[in-house]
Short mmCIF file of all heavy atoms in Angstrom, two decimals:
data_model
loop_
_atom_site.label_atom_id
_atom_site.label_comp_id
_atom_site.label_asym_id
_atom_site.label_seq_id
_atom_site.Cartn_x
_atom_site.Cartn_y
_atom_site.Cartn_z
N MET O 73 -47.20 22.14 60.62
CA MET O 73 -47.70 23.48 60.94
C MET O 73 -47.49 24.42 59.76
O MET O 73 -46.42 24.42 59.17
CB MET O 73 -46.92 24.02 62.14
CG MET O 73 -47.79 24.27 63.34
SD MET O 73 -46.94 25.31 64.50
CE MET O 73 -47.38 24.49 66.01
N PRO O 74 -48.49 25.23 59.43
CA PRO O 74 -48.28 26.18 58.34
C PRO O 74 -47.30 27.27 58.75
O PRO O 74 -47.20 27.64 59.92
CB PRO O 74 -49.67 26.76 58.10
CG PRO O 74 -50.44 26.51 59.34
CD PRO O 74 -49.85 25.29 59.98
N VAL O 75 -46.57 27.75 57.76
CA VAL O 75 -45.58 28.81 58.00
C VAL O 75 -45.95 30.03 57.16
O VAL O 75 -46.28 29.91 55.98
CB VAL O 75 -44.16 28.32 57.66
CG1 VAL O 75 -43.15 29.45 57.77
CG2 VAL O 75 -43.76 27.17 58.56
N ASP O 76 -45.88 31.17 57.79
CA ASP O 76 -46.09 32.43 57.07
C ASP O 76 -44.92 32.63 56.10
O ASP O 76 -43.78 32.70 56.53
CB ASP O 76 -46.14 33.55 58.12
CG ASP O 76 -46.46 34.90 57.52
OD1 ASP O 76 -45.95 35.22 56.43
OD2 ASP O 76 -47.18 35.65 58.16
N PRO O 77 -45.17 32.71 54.79
CA PRO O 77 -44.06 32.81 53.83
C PRO O 77 -43.34 34.15 53.88
O PRO O 77 -42.22 34.26 53.38
CB PRO O 77 -44.74 32.61 52.47
CG PRO O 77 -46.15 33.05 52.68
CD PRO O 77 -46.48 32.70 54.10
N VAL O 78 -43.94 35.14 54.47
CA VAL O 78 -43.32 36.47 54.50
C VAL O 78 -42.39 36.60 55.70
O VAL O 78 -41.21 36.93 55.55
CB VAL O 78 -44.39 37.58 54.50
CG1 VAL O 78 -43.74 38.95 54.62
CG2 VAL O 78 -45.23 37.49 53.22
N CYS O 79 -42.90 36.36 56.89
CA CYS O 79 -42.07 36.56 58.08
C CYS O 79 -41.48 35.25 58.59
O CYS O 79 -40.59 35.28 59.44
CB CYS O 79 -42.85 37.28 59.17
SG CYS O 79 -44.21 36.31 59.81
N GLY O 80 -41.97 34.12 58.09
CA GLY O 80 -41.34 32.85 58.41
C GLY O 80 -41.73 32.22 59.74
O GLY O 80 -41.15 31.21 60.11
N ILE O 81 -42.70 32.78 60.43
CA ILE O 81 -43.06 32.17 61.71
C ILE O 81 -44.09 31.06 61.51
O ILE O 81 -44.86 31.08 60.56
CB ILE O 81 -43.58 33.20 62.74
CG1 ILE O 81 -44.91 33.80 62.32
CG2 ILE O 81 -42.54 34.28 62.98
CD1 ILE O 81 -45.58 34.59 63.43
N GLU O 82 -44.07 30.10 62.44
CA GLU O 82 -45.05 29.02 62.40
C GLU O 82 -46.37 29.52 62.95
O GLU O 82 -46.41 30.30 63.90
CB GLU O 82 -44.55 27.84 63.23
CG GLU O 82 -43.40 27.12 62.59
CD GLU O 82 -43.09 25.81 63.30
OE1 GLU O 82 -43.52 25.65 64.45
OE2 GLU O 82 -42.40 24.98 62.70
N LEU O 83 -47.46 29.04 62.33
CA LEU O 83 -48.78 29.56 62.68
C LEU O 83 -49.70 28.46 63.16
O LEU O 83 -49.58 27.30 62.75
CB LEU O 83 -49.40 30.20 61.44
CG LEU O 83 -48.61 31.35 60.83
CD1 LEU O 83 -49.15 31.67 59.45
CD2 LEU O 83 -48.67 32.57 61.72
N ASP O 84 -50.63 28.86 64.00
CA ASP O 84 -51.73 27.99 64.36
C ASP O 84 -52.76 28.06 63.23
O ASP O 84 -53.27 29.14 62.92
CB ASP O 84 -52.34 28.49 65.68
CG ASP O 84 -53.42 27.55 66.17
OD1 ASP O 84 -54.14 26.96 65.34
OD2 ASP O 84 -53.55 27.42 67.40
N GLU O 85 -53.02 26.92 62.64
CA GLU O 85 -53.88 26.90 61.45
C GLU O 85 -55.25 27.54 61.70
O GLU O 85 -55.84 28.15 60.82
CB GLU O 85 -54.06 25.45 60.99
CG GLU O 85 -54.61 25.34 59.59
CD GLU O 85 -54.46 23.92 59.03
OE1 GLU O 85 -53.64 23.15 59.55
OE2 GLU O 85 -55.18 23.61 58.08
N GLU O 86 -55.74 27.41 62.92
CA GLU O 86 -57.06 27.96 63.21
C GLU O 86 -57.06 29.46 63.38
O GLU O 86 -58.11 30.10 63.27
CB GLU O 86 -57.61 27.30 64.49
CG GLU O 86 -57.95 25.84 64.25
CD GLU O 86 -58.55 25.20 65.49
OE1 GLU O 86 -58.80 25.91 66.47
OE2 GLU O 86 -58.77 23.98 65.45
N LEU O 87 -55.90 30.02 63.65
CA LEU O 87 -55.85 31.47 63.90
C LEU O 87 -55.29 32.24 62.71
O LEU O 87 -55.41 33.46 62.64
CB LEU O 87 -54.98 31.77 65.13
CG LEU O 87 -55.44 31.13 66.43
CD1 LEU O 87 -54.44 31.43 67.54
CD2 LEU O 87 -56.82 31.62 66.82
N ALA O 88 -54.66 31.52 61.78
CA ALA O 88 -53.98 32.19 60.67
C ALA O 88 -54.98 32.74 59.66
O ALA O 88 -56.10 32.24 59.53
CB ALA O 88 -53.04 31.20 59.98
N LEU O 89 -54.55 33.74 58.94
CA LEU O 89 -55.32 34.22 57.79
C LEU O 89 -55.00 33.30 56.62
O LEU O 89 -53.84 33.01 56.36
CB LEU O 89 -54.89 35.64 57.41
CG LEU O 89 -55.24 36.76 58.39
CD1 LEU O 89 -54.66 38.07 57.85
CD2 LEU O 89 -56.73 36.88 58.52
N ILE O 90 -56.02 32.84 55.95
CA ILE O 90 -55.81 31.92 54.84
C ILE O 90 -56.13 32.63 53.53
O ILE O 90 -57.15 33.29 53.40
CB ILE O 90 -56.68 30.66 54.99
CG1 ILE O 90 -56.34 29.97 56.31
CG2 ILE O 90 -56.44 29.71 53.82
CD1 ILE O 90 -57.25 28.79 56.61
N HIS O 91 -55.20 32.47 52.60
CA HIS O 91 -55.37 33.09 51.30
C HIS O 91 -55.18 32.01 50.25
O HIS O 91 -54.29 31.16 50.38
CB HIS O 91 -54.31 34.19 51.13
CG HIS O 91 -54.23 34.71 49.73
ND1 HIS O 91 -55.22 35.49 49.18
CD2 HIS O 91 -53.29 34.54 48.76
CE1 HIS O 91 -54.88 35.80 47.93
NE2 HIS O 91 -53.72 35.24 47.66
N ASP O 92 -56.02 32.02 49.24
CA ASP O 92 -55.90 31.04 48.17
C ASP O 92 -55.07 31.63 47.03
O ASP O 92 -55.48 32.60 46.41
CB ASP O 92 -57.30 30.64 47.69
CG ASP O 92 -57.23 29.46 46.76
OD1 ASP O 92 -57.25 28.33 47.25
OD2 ASP O 92 -57.12 29.66 45.54
N HIS O 93 -53.92 31.05 46.78
CA HIS O 93 -53.04 31.56 45.72
C HIS O 93 -52.84 30.46 44.69
O HIS O 93 -52.18 29.46 44.96
CB HIS O 93 -51.70 31.98 46.32
CG HIS O 93 -50.76 32.54 45.30
ND1 HIS O 93 -50.95 33.77 44.71
CD2 HIS O 93 -49.64 32.03 44.75
CE1 HIS O 93 -49.98 33.98 43.85
NE2 HIS O 93 -49.18 32.95 43.85
N ASP O 94 -53.40 30.63 43.50
CA ASP O 94 -53.31 29.62 42.44
C ASP O 94 -53.72 28.24 42.93
O ASP O 94 -53.06 27.25 42.63
CB ASP O 94 -51.88 29.57 41.87
CG ASP O 94 -51.54 30.85 41.13
OD1 ASP O 94 -52.47 31.59 40.75
OD2 ASP O 94 -50.34 31.11 40.92
N GLY O 95 -54.78 28.18 43.73
CA GLY O 95 -55.27 26.90 44.21
C GLY O 95 -54.51 26.34 45.39
O GLY O 95 -54.80 25.25 45.86
N LYS O 96 -53.53 27.09 45.88
CA LYS O 96 -52.73 26.66 47.02
C LYS O 96 -53.11 27.51 48.23
O LYS O 96 -53.24 28.72 48.10
CB LYS O 96 -51.26 26.91 46.70
CG LYS O 96 -50.36 25.72 46.94
CD LYS O 96 -48.96 26.08 46.51
CE LYS O 96 -48.02 24.90 46.60
NZ LYS O 96 -46.67 25.24 46.17
N LYS O 97 -53.24 26.87 49.37
CA LYS O 97 -53.55 27.66 50.57
C LYS O 97 -52.27 28.27 51.13
O LYS O 97 -51.27 27.59 51.32
CB LYS O 97 -54.18 26.76 51.63
CG LYS O 97 -55.67 26.61 51.46
CD LYS O 97 -56.26 25.84 52.61
CE LYS O 97 -57.76 25.67 52.40
NZ LYS O 97 -58.34 24.79 53.43
N VAL O 98 -52.34 29.55 51.38
CA VAL O 98 -51.20 30.25 51.98
C VAL O 98 -51.67 30.84 53.31
O VAL O 98 -52.76 31.41 53.38
CB VAL O 98 -50.70 31.38 51.06
CG1 VAL O 98 -49.37 31.92 51.55
CG2 VAL O 98 -50.57 30.91 49.63
N TYR O 99 -50.82 30.71 54.32
CA TYR O 99 -51.21 31.15 55.67
C TYR O 99 -50.39 32.36 56.08
O TYR O 99 -49.18 32.41 55.86
CB TYR O 99 -50.99 30.02 56.67
CG TYR O 99 -51.84 28.81 56.39
CD1 TYR O 99 -51.40 27.83 55.50
CD2 TYR O 99 -53.06 28.64 57.01
CE1 TYR O 99 -52.18 26.71 55.24
CE2 TYR O 99 -53.85 27.52 56.76
CZ TYR O 99 -53.40 26.56 55.87
OH TYR O 99 -54.16 25.45 55.61
N PHE O 100 -51.06 33.30 56.70
CA PHE O 100 -50.37 34.51 57.16
C PHE O 100 -50.69 34.78 58.63
O PHE O 100 -51.77 34.47 59.11
CB PHE O 100 -50.81 35.72 56.33
CG PHE O 100 -50.49 35.58 54.87
CD1 PHE O 100 -51.48 35.24 53.97
CD2 PHE O 100 -49.20 35.78 54.41
CE1 PHE O 100 -51.19 35.08 52.62
CE2 PHE O 100 -48.90 35.62 53.07
CZ PHE O 100 -49.89 35.28 52.18
N CYS O 101 -49.74 35.45 59.29
CA CYS O 101 -49.95 35.80 60.69
C CYS O 101 -50.83 37.03 60.82
O CYS O 101 -51.49 37.23 61.84
CB CYS O 101 -48.60 36.05 61.38
SG CYS O 101 -47.72 37.51 60.81
N CYS O 102 -50.83 37.88 59.79
CA CYS O 102 -51.58 39.14 59.90
C CYS O 102 -51.85 39.68 58.50
O CYS O 102 -51.23 39.25 57.52
CB CYS O 102 -50.78 40.16 60.71
SG CYS O 102 -49.23 40.62 59.94
N SER O 103 -52.75 40.64 58.42
CA SER O 103 -53.09 41.20 57.11
C SER O 103 -51.91 41.95 56.50
O SER O 103 -51.82 42.09 55.29
CB SER O 103 -54.30 42.13 57.23
OG SER O 103 -54.04 43.16 58.13
N GLY O 104 -50.99 42.43 57.33
CA GLY O 104 -49.79 43.11 56.82
C GLY O 104 -48.93 42.17 55.99
O GLY O 104 -48.49 42.52 54.90
N CYS O 105 -48.71 40.96 56.51
CA CYS O 105 -47.92 39.99 55.75
C CYS O 105 -48.66 39.58 54.48
O CYS O 105 -48.05 39.39 53.44
CB CYS O 105 -47.62 38.77 56.61
SG CYS O 105 -46.26 39.02 57.76
N ARG O 106 -49.97 39.43 54.58
CA ARG O 106 -50.73 39.08 53.37
C ARG O 106 -50.57 40.16 52.31
O ARG O 106 -50.41 39.88 51.13
CB ARG O 106 -52.21 38.88 53.72
CG ARG O 106 -53.02 38.44 52.50
CD ARG O 106 -54.42 38.05 52.86
NE ARG O 106 -55.12 39.14 53.53
CZ ARG O 106 -56.34 39.05 54.03
NH1 ARG O 106 -56.99 37.92 53.97
NH2 ARG O 106 -56.90 40.08 54.61
N ARG O 107 -50.61 41.41 52.74
CA ARG O 107 -50.49 42.51 51.79
C ARG O 107 -49.11 42.50 51.12
O ARG O 107 -48.99 42.72 49.92
CB ARG O 107 -50.72 43.85 52.52
CG ARG O 107 -51.01 44.99 51.58
CD ARG O 107 -51.54 46.19 52.34
NE ARG O 107 -50.63 46.59 53.41
CZ ARG O 107 -51.00 46.85 54.67
NH1 ARG O 107 -52.25 46.76 55.02
NH2 ARG O 107 -50.12 47.21 55.57
N ILE O 108 -48.08 42.24 51.91
CA ILE O 108 -46.73 42.18 51.35
C ILE O 108 -46.63 41.05 50.33
O ILE O 108 -46.07 41.21 49.25
CB ILE O 108 -45.69 41.99 52.48
CG1 ILE O 108 -45.66 43.25 53.35
CG2 ILE O 108 -44.31 41.69 51.90
CD1 ILE O 108 -44.88 43.07 54.65
N PHE O 109 -47.21 39.90 50.69
CA PHE O 109 -47.19 38.75 49.77
C PHE O 109 -47.90 39.09 48.47
O PHE O 109 -47.41 38.79 47.37
CB PHE O 109 -47.85 37.55 50.43
CG PHE O 109 -47.94 36.34 49.54
CD1 PHE O 109 -46.89 35.45 49.43
CD2 PHE O 109 -49.09 36.11 48.78
CE1 PHE O 109 -46.98 34.34 48.59
CE2 PHE O 109 -49.19 35.01 47.95
CZ PHE O 109 -48.13 34.13 47.86
N LEU O 110 -49.06 39.72 48.57
CA LEU O 110 -49.85 40.00 47.37
C LEU O 110 -49.17 41.01 46.46
O LEU O 110 -49.40 41.02 45.26
CB LEU O 110 -51.24 40.51 47.77
CG LEU O 110 -52.13 39.45 48.43
CD1 LEU O 110 -53.43 40.06 48.90
CD2 LEU O 110 -52.40 38.30 47.47
N LYS O 111 -48.31 41.83 47.03
CA LYS O 111 -47.56 42.78 46.19
C LYS O 111 -46.50 42.07 45.36
O LYS O 111 -46.24 42.44 44.23
CB LYS O 111 -46.87 43.83 47.08
CG LYS O 111 -47.74 45.02 47.39
CD LYS O 111 -46.91 46.08 48.10
CE LYS O 111 -47.80 47.22 48.56
NZ LYS O 111 -47.05 48.15 49.42
N LYS O 112 -45.84 41.09 45.98
CA LYS O 112 -44.76 40.38 45.29
C LYS O 112 -44.87 38.88 45.52
O LYS O 112 -44.01 38.28 46.16
CB LYS O 112 -43.40 40.88 45.81
CG LYS O 112 -43.11 42.31 45.46
CD LYS O 112 -41.72 42.70 45.93
CE LYS O 112 -41.41 44.12 45.50
NZ LYS O 112 -40.11 44.58 46.04
N PRO O 113 -45.92 38.25 45.00
CA PRO O 113 -46.09 36.82 45.27
C PRO O 113 -44.94 35.97 44.76
O PRO O 113 -44.62 34.95 45.36
CB PRO O 113 -47.41 36.47 44.56
CG PRO O 113 -47.66 37.58 43.61
CD PRO O 113 -47.01 38.80 44.18
N ARG O 114 -44.30 36.41 43.70
CA ARG O 114 -43.21 35.59 43.15
C ARG O 114 -42.01 35.52 44.09
O ARG O 114 -41.28 34.55 44.14
CB ARG O 114 -42.75 36.16 41.80
CG ARG O 114 -43.41 35.42 40.63
CD ARG O 114 -42.85 35.87 39.32
NE ARG O 114 -43.50 37.09 38.88
CZ ARG O 114 -43.01 37.90 37.96
NH1 ARG O 114 -41.87 37.63 37.38
NH2 ARG O 114 -43.66 38.98 37.61
N LYS O 115 -41.82 36.60 44.83
CA LYS O 115 -40.70 36.63 45.76
C LYS O 115 -40.85 35.61 46.88
O LYS O 115 -39.88 35.10 47.40
CB LYS O 115 -40.60 38.05 46.35
CG LYS O 115 -39.46 38.24 47.31
CD LYS O 115 -39.36 39.69 47.74
CE LYS O 115 -38.28 39.88 48.80
NZ LYS O 115 -38.24 41.24 49.31
N TYR O 116 -42.11 35.32 47.24
CA TYR O 116 -42.36 34.48 48.41
C TYR O 116 -42.91 33.11 48.09
O TYR O 116 -43.05 32.29 48.98
CB TYR O 116 -43.33 35.21 49.35
CG TYR O 116 -42.80 36.51 49.85
CD1 TYR O 116 -43.29 37.71 49.38
CD2 TYR O 116 -41.79 36.53 50.81
CE1 TYR O 116 -42.79 38.92 49.84
CE2 TYR O 116 -41.27 37.73 51.27
CZ TYR O 116 -41.78 38.92 50.78
OH TYR O 116 -41.27 40.11 51.23
N LYS O 117 -43.23 32.86 46.82
CA LYS O 117 -43.95 31.61 46.56
C LYS O 117 -43.09 30.38 46.83
O LYS O 117 -43.65 29.31 47.08
CB LYS O 117 -44.57 31.60 45.17
CG LYS O 117 -43.63 31.30 44.04
CD LYS O 117 -44.39 31.19 42.74
CE LYS O 117 -43.44 30.90 41.62
NZ LYS O 117 -44.03 31.02 40.31
N ASN O 118 -41.79 30.50 46.80
CA ASN O 118 -40.95 29.35 47.14
C ASN O 118 -41.02 29.00 48.62
O ASN O 118 -40.59 27.94 49.04
CB ASN O 118 -39.49 29.61 46.75
CG ASN O 118 -39.31 29.62 45.25
OD1 ASN O 118 -40.12 29.07 44.51
ND2 ASN O 118 -38.25 30.25 44.79
N ASN O 119 -41.55 29.91 49.41
CA ASN O 119 -41.65 29.66 50.85
C ASN O 119 -42.99 29.04 51.24
O ASN O 119 -43.18 28.72 52.42
CB ASN O 119 -41.50 30.99 51.63
CG ASN O 119 -40.15 31.62 51.39
OD1 ASN O 119 -39.23 30.97 50.95
ND2 ASN O 119 -40.04 32.89 51.69
N ILE O 120 -43.88 28.92 50.30
CA ILE O 120 -45.20 28.39 50.63
C ILE O 120 -45.08 26.90 50.97
O ILE O 120 -44.48 26.16 50.20
CB ILE O 120 -46.20 28.57 49.44
CG1 ILE O 120 -46.42 30.05 49.18
CG2 ILE O 120 -47.50 27.88 49.73
CD1 ILE O 120 -47.24 30.32 47.92
ZN1 ZN V 474 -46.24 37.24 59.14
#
């Protein structure tokens, strides 16, 4: 199951927001988490 790297919750792949980061798919629960990730991708990339 994909995990949101910002808030750490497990996501349903079909419902998650998908973002492509350096060729890697990143899943988010909401646009708020995506925005936080995009501000500081280095802080969260180890959680991808
Ligand atoms: Zn989240």
Side-chain angles (χ1 to χ4, degrees):
M73 243 196 222
V75 174
D76 184 320
V78 176
C79 66
I81 67 168
E82 289 190 342
L83 301 166
D84 185 326
E85 196 166 340
E86 290 182 6
L87 301 176
L89 291 177
I90 301 174
H91 169 71
D92 190 87
H93 181 71
D94 293 341
K96 230 177 185 179
K97 275 186 181 173
V98 191
Y99 297 86
F100 299 102
C101 68
C102 63
S103 58
C105 280
R106 183 172 57 184
R107 197 167 55 228
I108 293 169
F109 177 86
L110 291 175
K111 272 188 187 172
K112 294 183 177 175
R114 263 187 277 162
K115 181 175 175 185
Y116 299 107
K117 79 174 179 191
N118 290 339
N119 298 341
I120 296 172

